[in-house]
Amino acid sequence: MNQNPSFGTIVKERRNGLGLTQTELARRVGCAPVTIRKIEYDALRPSVQIAEHLAMALNIPEAEHLAFVRLARREPEVSPIPTPPPEPEEIGQEDLSGRALKGFQLGERIGAGGYGAVYRAVQATVERDVAIKIILPKYANQPEFIRRFEAEAQLVAQLEHPHIVPLYDYWREPSVAYLVMRFLRGGSLDDRLKDGPLAVEMLLPVIEQICAGLHAAHRAGVIHRDIKPANILLDEDGNAYLADFGIAKNLVGANGGGHTTGEMVIGSPAYISPEQIMAEPVKPQTDIYSLGVMLYELLTGPKPFKGPTPIAYIQQHLNEQLPLLSAANNGDAAKGKQAIPTPLDIVIGRATAKNPGERYPDILSLLADIRRAMQPDSTVADVTDLRSDTTTPAHIAAMIDLPDMENPYKGLRAFGEADAADFFGRDTLVQELLIRLAKKATLRHLRQVWV
């Protein structure tokens, strides 16, 4: 057996190879899931009994059981003395992996952007992995930026939901600020899209989780304003979580109303809504628009608008309808492209209507239509029948080719002799009714009833 990897690494790799979750492995071994998690991150040496059970549960060859147990019980190496915390001038200039920070040991840098960097870290007191966002000093010393930073921290802390990335802690120091969040090991939807579009059967659970998180945020009066694949994080089991509420707007706050007048355009160019571009009030429909754009990308792979510059994206969001899914897919499943339910074009068309008033009234209404559209036997009519008055006409016209014909159904309007051609198929029953009506007794009976 290869002795180079740690015992925890071997356990994790074997578990993943068998397709087991930490909870399932814990059940086989007869211990708590947290014990497996600590073992995998080399934060706990298992007992001999647990090590032996792990060997059997992970299908370790019998000849290697003894070496496996010895590796499990090997004394850990003494950790080196932590390096001093980073100075403000170091933040953003170099990789801080391995440095100590207020009880956190920084691991690898997992992301960097214009405002700072994100590191994987270990919180020693509770032996858990976390993600730490470190804000660059040039922003951390700006009162306006710090106000937004603290607003983000308070905002996310209040949005407690299973599919919103939780905030564990935050603090400020001279020239630097920190956010401590849950670390999610599955990457983002943006990473997942590098392998191509999501399979249709895998899409619905992800969208349901995103919509559940957004519904909780909207119910609290919070509009995310930057829905995109990079801000949807995944755990090891593929569950989705809303992240990065840094530009979210709390409509219940002191500056309520959702107006962005006088502010810069906030959002990502490829997913931004028309009202954000025009600095108009933002509502839940703003997130619905961006989610519709993202849904197109998840189904097809490429973004609906090609850009490539921010100005080009703005013009496209303001003036162009999203292309049909069938146009992106070319209807050719033989070339490796999946068959996409046609009714989803109607759903995306309504979600991305230029006028917010023509979009879905709330995120749950959008989710209901997505579910309906993805039923195996769904048709365009299943989606348009109930909401045809607000569905985007361009998408319906492109998909439904109906012949010109007079509608025989008059609703509450009276039928006349000219409508006789619309009544057929019950000649025998009509004749029997006429015979019975011709009988005097029957007519007397009818007169008595109606009097």
Side-chain angles (χ1 to χ4, degrees):
M1 179 176 294
N2 185 2
Q3 298 294 315
N4 290 327
S6 68
F7 180 77
T9 300
I10 292 173
V11 170
K12 184 176 181 179
E13 289 178 352
R14 300 283 300 200
R15 175 178 62 80
N16 288 335
L18 293 172
L20 298 174
T21 64
Q22 290 178 336
T23 301
E24 290 169 339
L25 179 59
R27 192 179 299 115
R28 293 188 180 189
V29 173
C31 65
V34 67
T35 301
I36 299 297
R37 181 169 63 82
K38 289 183 177 181
I39 290 172
E40 289 188 354
Y41 288 97
D42 296 309
L44 175 70
R45 282 196 308 154
S47 64
V48 173
Q49 183 181 16
I50 289 180
E52 290 174 343
H53 289 171
L54 279 170
M56 291 185 289
L58 296 173
N59 295 338
I60 302 295
E62 188 174 352
E64 299 182 20
H65 275 206
L66 180 58
F68 183 81
V69 173
R70 285 177 176 173
L71 180 61
R73 298 298 300 158
R74 189 173 63 183
E75 289 287 344
E77 297 180 0
V78 178
S79 301
I81 298 175
T83 54
E87 296 295 330
E89 58 270 17
E90 294 180 279
I91 296 173
Q93 304 301 318
E94 58 183 77
D95 193 336
L96 302 177
S97 299
R99 306 290 287 272
L101 180 68
K102 268 201 170 183
F104 298 92
Q105 190 71 27
L106 297 181
E108 70 271 22
R109 184 166 59 184
I110 56 179
Y115 291 145
V118 181
Y119 289 84
R120 176 178 175 176
V122 176
Q123 188 176 7
T125 54
V126 291
E127 297 180 343
R128 70 176 172 188
D129 284 353
V130 297
I132 297 183
K133 180 189 290 187
I134 305 177
I135 308 301
L136 292 176
K138 68 178 181 179
Y139 296 111
N141 287 327
Q142 295 180 7
E144 177 62 19
F145 186 89
I146 287 302
R147 183 189 66 80
R148 288 182 59 194
F149 166 80
E150 291 185 333
E152 173 186 358
Q154 296 169 4
L155 190 64
V156 178
Q158 294 170 10
L159 294 177
E160 295 184 357
H161 189 271
H163 293 289
I164 294 178
V165 177
L167 175 70
Y168 294 147
D169 196 6
Y170 76 95
W171 72 91
R172 288 195 296 124
E173 296 175 357
S175 300
V176 67
Y178 304 91
L179 282 169
V180 183
M181 300 161 288
R182 177 182 174 184
F183 176 69
L184 291 164
R185 300 174 177 84
S188 68
L189 276 183
D190 196 44
D191 299 326
R192 183 71 61 85
L193 280 170
K194 293 175 183 177
D195 297 327
L198 267 65
V200 171
E201 61 271 15
M202 297 176 58
L203 179 70
L204 186 56
V206 170
I207 291 297
E208 287 178 333
Q209 292 167 350
I210 295 171
C211 288
L214 272 177
H215 176 62
H218 293 171
R219 189 171 51 193
V222 176
I223 310 303
H224 190 287
R225 300 201 299 181
D226 198 23
I227 299 297
K228 59 182 179 180
N231 284 340
I232 308 299
L233 303 184
L234 305 171
D235 63 16
E236 290 177 305
D237 298 319
N239 296 306
Y241 301 81
L242 279 173
D244 201 353
F245 279 80
I247 61 172
K249 182 97 170 176
N250 189 346
L251 301 183
V252 184
N255 298 321
H259 292 276
T260 57
T261 305
E263 299 179 2
M264 62 180 178
V265 175
I266 296 178
S268 299
Y271 307 90
I272 194 169
S273 68
E275 60 269 26
Q276 288 173 280
I277 296 171
M278 303 298 292
E280 295 175 349
V282 296
K283 298 179 179 179
Q285 283 72 26
T286 301
D287 287 342
I288 288 174
Y289 181 93
S290 300
L291 184 59
V293 175
M294 187 181 77
L295 180 58
Y296 179 100
E297 184 179 3
L298 294 178
L299 284 163
T300 65
K303 298 177 178 63
F305 296 136
K306 306 304 179 185
T309 65
I311 296 298
Y313 275 125
I314 286 174
Q315 292 298 326
Q316 290 159 353
H317 283 297
L318 289 176
N319 302 311
E320 298 181 18
Q321 296 288 343
L322 266 69
L324 295 175
L325 294 167
S326 55
N329 198 51
N330 292 325
D332 191 356
K335 294 182 179 179
K337 295 180 180 179
Q338 61 180 341
I340 299 174
T342 304
L344 282 174
D345 266 320
I346 299 295
V347 177
I348 292 177
R350 185 184 182 193
T352 58
K354 304 304 179 185
N355 183 351
E358 295 179 359
R359 298 176 204 153
Y360 286 92
D362 53 64
I363 202 73
L364 295 184
S365 299
L366 168 62
L367 178 59
D369 262 8
I370 292 174
R371 286 170 172 162
R372 186 181 294 111
M374 295 184 70
Q375 292 296 318
D377 55 349
S378 66
T379 65
V380 172
D382 292 332
V383 178
T384 60
D385 278 349
L386 298 179
R387 300 188 174 90
S388 59
D389 56 327
T390 52
T391 304
T392 306
H395 280 68
I396 299 176
M399 297 166 57
I400 308 176
D401 184 17
L402 294 177
D404 293 332
M405 58 185 299
E406 186 178 353
N407 183 4
Y409 302 102
K410 298 180 178 296
L412 297 178
R413 288 183 296 164
F415 287 86
E417 185 177 351
D419 301 309
D422 294 330
F423 295 87
F424 55 88
R426 295 188 177 182
D427 296 341
T428 302
L429 292 176
V430 171
Q431 189 62 34
E432 290 180 2
L433 179 61
L434 292 174
I435 293 173
R436 296 191 66 180
L437 287 174
K439 296 179 179 180
K440 294 182 180 180
T442 303
L443 292 175
R444 261 196 321 273
H445 175 72
L446 287 175
R447 282 196 297 272
Q448 290 172 358
V449 170
W450 285 104
V451 171

